[in-house]
Amino acid sequence: MIYAAEFFIKEPNTTQIVSMHQDLTYWGLGAVDGLVTAWLSLSPATPASGCMDFVKGSHKNAILPHTDTFDQNNLLSRGQEVAVDVAEADKQAIEIHPGQISLHHGQTIHGSGPNTTNDRRIAAVIRYCTPQIGQKSGATDYASLVRGTDRYNNFTHVPAPAALFDAPSLGLYQQIRDAQARVMMKGAQKSTGLYN
Ligand SMILES: O=C(O)CCC(=O)C(=O)O
């Protein structure tokens, strides 16, 4: 199933970063193996343009405590940062080029630096999950079946949009976003503006 699809765009010569974090921290899905992010590079992702840095083997950790920084310079919803010191030597920059993907587990510690180049750094991110996992907070959660059969019914199935920007699909998108934001922003003292 596709759990989420989004763009991570850094404009040329900007300071925005993604702090080191584990994706599963605030998603309400628990510590699960059944979720992987495919990060598709649509422009060169290099150390200079702010490619992702990963901590090798870090997916074997539990979900670690995170601190909300609410830093406007951070592309994450609450500016969350893993509350452990990650040594520079433990970060592995993964340089990839248009058409290539990297895959990361939901507990892998990762982040990225600023884009210091004259080109946009653009990634299309697709988060795939197995139907066995599901929202643990009790809230309704959503995913799109892309192959096989869902025998678990943990997610409300999202159909493909009937047409580009058609009103019912946009309405459903807003409903999904609101539901996921409520889980993701639970307990947050404020917002970085990504979710109201
Ligand atoms: O695009 C980035 O720099 C970070 C993306 C990210 O954290 C993710 O896809 O989980």
Side-chain angles (χ1 to χ4, degrees):
M1 305 184 89
I2 289 181
Y3 182 64
E6 51 201 297
F7 286 101
F8 274 85
I9 300 173
K10 290 179 186 163
E11 297 295 335
N13 296 301
T14 48
T15 54
Q16 285 190 307
I17 55 109
V18 172
S19 48
M20 297 302 275
H21 68 285
Q22 294 168 302
D23 291 334
L24 286 170
T25 308
Y26 298 106
W27 291 357
L29 301 168
V32 289
D33 282 329
L35 187 144
V36 67
T37 292
W39 196 96
L40 169 65
S41 167
L42 299 181
S43 66
T46 64
S49 73
C51 69
M52 282 195 293
D53 298 316
F54 293 96
V55 178
K56 191 175 172 184
S58 55
H59 64 290
K60 293 179 186 155
N61 285 293
I63 293 180
L64 299 166
H66 283 62
T67 307
D68 294 340
T69 68
F70 300 108
D71 182 359
Q72 292 295 330
N73 203 38
N74 197 318
L75 292 176
L76 298 180
S77 53
R78 34 205 291 174
Q80 60 266 34
E81 185 165 22
V82 67
V84 294
D85 277 336
V86 179
E88 284 305 312
D90 289 337
K91 293 184 190 172
Q92 177 68 56
I94 299 295
E95 177 165 339
I96 58 172
H97 291 273
Q100 296 181 323
I101 60 166
S102 69
L103 296 170
H104 66 264
H105 184 284
Q107 274 148 260
T108 302
I109 299 174
H110 63 290
S112 62
N115 180 5
T116 61
T117 71
N118 296 326
D119 193 9
R120 292 169 102 196
R121 194 225 64 170
I122 310 171
V125 171
I126 307 160
R127 306 195 195 274
Y128 291 96
C129 70
T130 59
Q132 286 94 332
I133 71 165
Q135 188 52 242
K136 293 200 159 69
S137 71
T140 301
D141 211 347
Y142 303 81
S144 300
L145 191 65
V146 284
R147 78 183 266 280
T149 310
D150 175 7
R151 291 187 298 276
Y152 297 87
N153 296 316
N154 291 334
F155 294 96
T156 297
H157 287 202
V158 180
L164 276 183
F165 301 108
D166 82 311
S169 303
L170 288 178
L172 177 59
Y173 171 71
Q174 194 55 50
Q175 187 181 316
I176 296 168
R177 200 174 149 82
D178 289 347
Q180 291 183 339
R182 273 195 293 277
V183 175
M184 213 179 303
M185 297 308 286
K186 198 170 169 193
Q189 299 301 311
K190 47 184 173 172
S191 159
T192 50
L194 197 56
Y195 296 100
N196 293 325

